[in-house]
Amino acid sequence: MKDLTKLAEVAVRNSPMEPLTVEPLTPDQEAHWQRLAARVSKGLIEKVAKLAEDVKKPIVKLLPGYSMEGQTEGVLVSVSRRMRKIPIPAKEGCFKSWHCEYTGAVKELVLELRSGKGRVKVGQVDWAATAAANGLTV
């Protein structure tokens, strides 16, 4: 272990990277990283879906470049989930059977717009802005 420690100390001395400089993120880069962090936060997607299922109508904001009939935000009225197969215990002498329920991960969001309703995929939502609009933490 002592040899590896000495080797590591020598390996970084007097190298071109020794005076390591770190530049702060630009506002665009910081917003990009906030969006990525919010998107991978599974709990946030479920929190927003739970608000819609409790009829609290949260506001959903779309990513830049996405819009529905010119609108970049809407009110979430319902959630479309993926199907999940749930096994039913088999009785003696019977085949194993399955029951399908829509209880899986969130697939699409149904938004209420000025002109009607529209569906949005989970990947088109700006989760950081949606969390901020609804007072949720990322």
Side-chain angles (χ1 to χ4, degrees), residues 14-119:
N14 299 324
S15 70
M17 293 187 65
E18 185 157 336
L20 188 62
T21 58
V22 179
E23 297 176 10
L25 295 175
T26 64
D28 290 340
Q29 291 173 330
E30 188 158 346
H32 176 70
W33 282 108
Q34 287 291 331
R35 284 191 196 113
L36 288 176
R39 185 172 180 188
V40 298
S41 174
K42 298 290 183 195
L44 178 63
I45 296 171
E46 287 299 323
K47 284 180 189 175
V48 173
K50 180 88 170 116
L51 287 175
E53 290 166 352
D54 291 344
V55 195
K56 296 202 177 155
K57 296 190 176 187
I59 296 171
V60 174
K61 298 193 178 241
L62 302 178
L63 285 170
Y66 290 104
S67 68
M68 293 179 58
E69 300 171 12
Q71 289 184 258
T72 58
E73 70 177 49
V75 177
L76 181 60
V77 287
S78 68
V79 177
S80 173
R81 293 184 176 271
R82 297 190 187 281
M83 251 178 31
R84 187 180 345 182
K85 286 174 39 175
I86 300 171
I88 298 173
K91 296 178 184 173
E92 193 173 321
C94 296
F95 292 109
K96 189 174 189 177
S97 58
W98 300 90
H99 172 68
C100 294
E101 289 183 358
Y102 288 98
T103 58
V106 175
K107 180 179 166 185
E108 291 179 329
L109 306 174
V110 179
L111 301 181
E112 187 176 282
L113 307 167
R114 279 181 252 144
S115 60
K117 291 184 181 178
R119 292 184 176 271

